[in-house]
């Protein structure tokens, strides 16, 4: 994914142990973010113009991985958090092969242009037949600096009905509201 923050281009992607980055990566899959200052058509294509990736997901181990990431930069000059970058991600913390694995929605937050990242877990880590699971997040900001994360909360089973869920932060991602459920989200394609 790429996002133009006005003067910089930021790229995020799922990385594995063989991906070149500035810090050691100990895990199955994680989130790496790379940046490019003052992009031009030619510098975007030049691999040497890009800064080395920084690992944004700090929870990495042999049994955890991050998936379905999405990146967004607060690009509203009226926002008190202008320039903050947010990556929402499905954070899987176990390779239990689907048997009550711990899976959350987390938001990786950078306030310094992507040099460093803090992770904020915003959903519970409980995933089982009773509580269901969360998946597929989207993150956006508004002109007042509010951050919104949307994801789907599925029930386990067939047909696997669930709901769209929203959480909001008014302080640059430090704290988040409790999940608010919206409309139904059936898992069968129509």
């Amino acid at each position: 994914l790429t996002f133009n923050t006005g003067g910089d281009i930021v790229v995020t992607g799922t990385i594995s142990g063989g991906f070149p980055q500035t810090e050691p990566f100990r895990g199955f899959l994680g989130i790496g973010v790379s940046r490019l200052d003052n992009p031009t058509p030619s510098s975007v294509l030049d691999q040497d113009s890009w800064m080395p990736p920084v690992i944004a997901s700090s929870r990495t181990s042999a049994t955890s991985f991050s998936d379905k990431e999405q990146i967004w930069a607060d690009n509203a000059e009226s926002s008190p958090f202008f320039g903050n970058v947010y990556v929402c991600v499905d954070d899987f913390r176990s390779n239990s092969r689907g048997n009550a694995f711990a899976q959350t929605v987390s938001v990786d937050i950078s306030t310094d242009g992507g040099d460093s990242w803090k992770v904020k877990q915003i959903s519970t880590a409980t995933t089982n037949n009773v509580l269901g699971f969360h998946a597929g997040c989207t993150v956006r900001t508004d002109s007042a600096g509010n951050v919104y994360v949307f994801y789907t909360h599925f029930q386990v089973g067939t047909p696997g009905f669930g709901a769209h869920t929203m959480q909001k932060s008014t302080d640059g991602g430090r704290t988040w509201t409790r999940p608010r459920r919206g409309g139904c989200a059936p898992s069968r394609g129509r």
Side-chain angles (χ1 to χ4, degrees):
L1 290 174
T2 62
F3 188 82
N4 190 334
T5 62
D8 302 333
I9 291 183
V10 181
V11 174
T12 181
T14 305
I15 60 173
S16 63
F19 195 79
Q21 67 270 347
T22 58
E23 53 198 272
F25 177 72
R26 298 179 274 308
F28 181 59
L29 292 173
I31 304 300
V33 179
S34 184
R35 297 99 62 216
L36 171 66
D37 289 329
N38 304 313
T40 64
S42 61
S43 68
V44 169
L45 298 175
D46 181 3
Q47 185 174 332
D48 294 330
S49 299
W50 291 87
M51 295 179 202
V54 175
I55 295 175
S57 54
S58 61
R59 289 188 176 128
T60 57
S61 73
T63 62
S64 66
F65 65 96
S66 301
D67 194 20
K68 296 181 177 54
E69 74 281 347
Q70 190 179 70
I71 191 168
W72 188 262
D74 187 337
N75 60 357
E77 291 185 25
S78 59
S79 167
F81 306 107
F82 175 70
N84 280 11
V85 181
Y86 305 93
V87 178
C88 70
V89 62
D90 293 344
D91 190 8
F92 294 86
R93 300 193 184 151
S94 170
N95 287 340
S96 68
R97 295 174 174 74
N99 299 315
F101 59 91
Q103 184 260 329
T104 69
V105 175
S106 297
V107 180
D108 304 335
I109 303 161
S110 177
T111 60
D112 60 8
D115 287 337
S116 64
W117 294 86
K118 294 180 182 174
V119 177
K120 182 70 176 179
Q121 176 183 320
I122 66 169
S123 72
T124 62
T126 305
T127 301
N128 58 38
N129 286 338
V130 175
L131 298 175
F133 64 97
H134 309 103
C137 62
T138 299
V139 61
R140 294 291 183 269
T141 56
D142 65 20
S143 60
N146 297 311
V147 186
Y148 303 89
V149 172
F150 302 90
Y151 53 91
T152 306
H153 183 179
F154 284 111
Q155 296 171 348
V156 175
T158 303
F161 287 103
H164 295 292
T165 305
M166 182 192 82
Q167 289 185 251
K168 177 181 174 182
S169 174
T170 60
D171 57 9
R174 287 189 295 276
T175 61
W176 293 84
T177 61
R178 294 182 56 82
R180 292 180 55 193
R181 295 182 74 174
C184 288
S187 64
R188 46 186 131 133
R190 292 195 174 184

